[in-house]
Amino acid sequence: MPERPRRRLSPPSGAKRSGWRRPASPANTPPSVPPAAPRPAPAAPTPPDHRSVIDSAVYRDGRRVASPATLAETFRQLREEPDGMAWIGLHRPTQPQLHSLAAEFNLHELAVEDALEAHQRPKLERYGDTLFVVLRAARYLDAQEEVEFAELHVFVGPDFLITVRHGSAPDLPAVRHRMEANPELLSLGPEAALYAILDAVVDGYAPVVEGVQTDIDEIATEVFRGDPAVSRRIYELSREMVEFQRATRPLVGMLHGLMAGFAKYGTDEELQRYLRDVADHVTHTSERVDGFRQALTEILTVNATLVSQQQNAEMRALAEAGFAQNEEIKKISSWAAILFAPTLVGTIYGMNFETMPELQWAGGYPFAILLMAVVCTSLYVIFKKRDWL
């Protein structure tokens, strides 16, 4: 079933900031720290590993005003921009990096722990004025004909958005570039960037769905061709569909949870329409994945039936071959018994003992021949009645 065209979010006319975005904090005091406690100096956090920082930028009114090289510089630049927003992209960050971010933006320790350990289920949690979102992205590998999953953690606050990737998907630099090309859209705040990331994750499911559909069609053909390796392929694809379900099914509830907070957090109307469109597509994807699992279950049942029929046919052929072999053995055994009788008589009278009573008898030879003939004929009649001959 072809995917219907996606409606891309266009810059809203007369865009205004969402009410969810809180006023910027004073330059020297973090929002969650009492005024008496000074905000940590930029040099306080442990120096970050630059290989983990994919991109870090500060935006004002939807336009990039600074591209700091380190997290400490990002913190300083954000303090100098009262109406600014920081967008920090990390890939497999170190523990000191996340702890410095937690100290700067007052991130909850449980969310930070989840981001460090990864292997989390998709979920949406709110800690005060910060959202913590866990997503499972997916992409289809054509060469291996398999689905690869990656984990993405997103922290969304009033003036910051932090992405923590554990894997190669989705293509967040492309999302950032698309948002930077629409400053009016990015000026709506961190929630606009969050919805763009959600859209990228959901859009990444479409090629996976098409690739899996092709695999299922190929598997159905292989099943009826009797390919012995198809059972393993069905099992592997079924396991991937279980993972796919775990990625898409919770996302439906998460998006509905975000939509339920539209009124409370004053989400922009254009972003509301945007999120509804994303929710519609993820619901469609989830239904397709459910259909794939059902189809694979039915294909596995058909394959088991065909394999059972093939095994029955092979067993029947072996039984028929064994029966034919038994018939041949009975014939050979019967003729061997018939031929053994005269040999036994001839052997007895060929021992040449001097005291054998029949050796001097004139009718001994005709008697021996007659005895051989009677024994052989009797055995033949018996075997013939038993259908051994």
Side-chain angles (χ1 to χ4, degrees):
M1 176 178 178
E3 295 283 347
R4 64 180 177 83
R6 290 299 304 272
R7 176 183 59 78
R8 285 292 179 190
L9 180 63
S10 58
S13 58
K16 63 183 180 64
R17 290 183 181 273
S18 169
W20 181 52
R21 179 179 175 85
R22 60 169 171 79
S25 302
N28 296 321
T29 305
S32 60
V33 181
R39 194 169 185 168
T46 303
D49 183 355
H50 298 285
R51 294 173 297 178
S52 299
V53 181
I54 304 302
D55 195 359
S56 180
V58 176
Y59 300 87
R60 183 180 65 244
D61 297 328
R63 301 182 185 279
R64 183 186 288 238
V65 295
S67 300
T70 64
L71 294 180
E73 292 180 13
T74 303
F75 304 155
R76 180 179 58 80
Q77 291 284 347
L78 184 59
R79 294 190 190 98
E80 296 173 357
E81 294 290 341
D83 295 325
M85 179 192 79
W87 186 343
I88 303 171
L90 305 174
H91 181 262
R92 300 185 185 279
T94 61
Q95 185 173 359
Q97 281 180 312
L98 280 183
H99 284 172
S100 68
L101 289 168
E104 179 70 23
F105 297 114
N106 194 29
L107 304 181
H108 198 279
E109 58 181 5
L110 294 179
V112 174
E113 182 181 352
D114 289 344
L116 280 172
E117 294 180 356
H119 305 293
Q120 304 294 320
R121 60 176 180 83
K123 60 183 178 180
L124 170 66
E125 296 178 345
R126 182 175 292 277
Y127 299 96
D129 57 1
T130 301
L131 278 179
F132 177 60
V133 183
V134 179
L135 302 172
R136 294 293 302 277
R139 66 171 182 165
Y140 185 79
L141 305 179
D142 291 320
Q144 295 85 353
E145 292 187 340
E146 62 183 24
V147 182
E148 181 184 69
F149 296 93
E151 195 166 326
L152 174 64
H153 303 252
V154 185
F155 296 90
V156 186
D159 57 355
F160 65 89
L161 183 138
I162 304 168
T163 59
V164 179
R165 280 194 301 161
H166 295 272
S168 57
D171 188 1
L172 292 184
V175 176
R176 186 190 291 262
H177 294 157
R178 188 167 67 249
M179 294 295 291
E180 290 179 346
N182 293 274
E184 293 183 6
L185 174 61
L186 188 55
S187 67
L188 295 178
E191 61 268 33
L194 171 63
Y195 296 161
I197 292 172
L198 289 170
D199 179 61
V201 172
V202 174
D203 280 349
Y205 293 154
V208 178
V209 169
E210 297 304 321
V212 171
Q213 181 65 69
T214 301
D215 286 348
I216 291 177
D217 294 340
E218 293 176 355
I219 286 174
T221 302
E222 292 172 359
V223 164
F224 290 100
R225 286 180 180 175
D227 189 340
V230 71
S231 297
R232 180 181 181 87
R233 190 175 181 188
I234 294 173
Y235 170 75
E236 292 176 348
L237 190 57
S238 298
R239 185 177 58 184
E240 291 175 354
M241 289 305 97
V242 171
E243 290 295 321
F244 207 180
Q245 272 189 329
R246 292 174 180 172
T248 58
R249 187 172 289 176
L251 189 54
V252 176
M254 291 166 54
L255 292 174
H256 283 88
L258 284 175
M259 291 189 292
F262 284 162
K264 180 178 180 181
Y265 297 100
T267 304
D268 184 85
E269 292 183 1
E270 186 68 13
L271 290 181
Q272 294 183 26
R273 291 191 290 269
Y274 181 41
L275 184 61
R276 290 191 186 98
D277 185 64
V278 176
D280 178 66
H281 281 80
V282 75
T283 300
H284 177 70
T285 300
S286 181
E287 292 173 351
R288 291 287 301 274
V289 175
D290 292 341
F292 289 156
R293 283 204 66 187
Q294 181 65 29
L296 287 171
T297 301
E298 294 174 354
I299 291 175
L300 188 61
T301 302
V302 172
N303 181 66
T305 302
L306 294 177
V307 170
S308 178
Q309 290 178 350
Q310 183 180 1
Q311 291 177 344
N312 291 338
E314 293 175 354
M315 293 296 295
R316 184 166 54 252
L318 289 175
E320 292 175 354
F323 178 78
Q325 186 177 11
N326 290 337
E327 293 297 317
E328 295 297 326
I329 292 175
K330 287 193 293 184
K331 290 180 180 180
I332 295 173
S333 300
S334 301
W335 285 112
I338 293 173
L339 294 176
F340 176 72
T343 302
L344 178 62
V345 175
T347 301
I348 292 175
Y349 286 101
M351 289 188 294
N352 298 324
F353 288 110
E354 294 182 358
T355 58
M356 291 182 65
E358 292 85 1
L359 293 180
Q360 306 300 324
W361 180 34
Y365 175 73
F367 175 78
I369 296 298
L370 179 61
L371 180 60
M372 293 179 187
V374 170
V375 174
C376 290
T377 302
S378 300
L379 291 175
Y380 180 82
V381 171
I382 294 172
F383 291 147
K384 192 68 174 178
K385 287 183 178 180
R386 295 186 177 181
D387 294 329
W388 285 29
L389 294 175

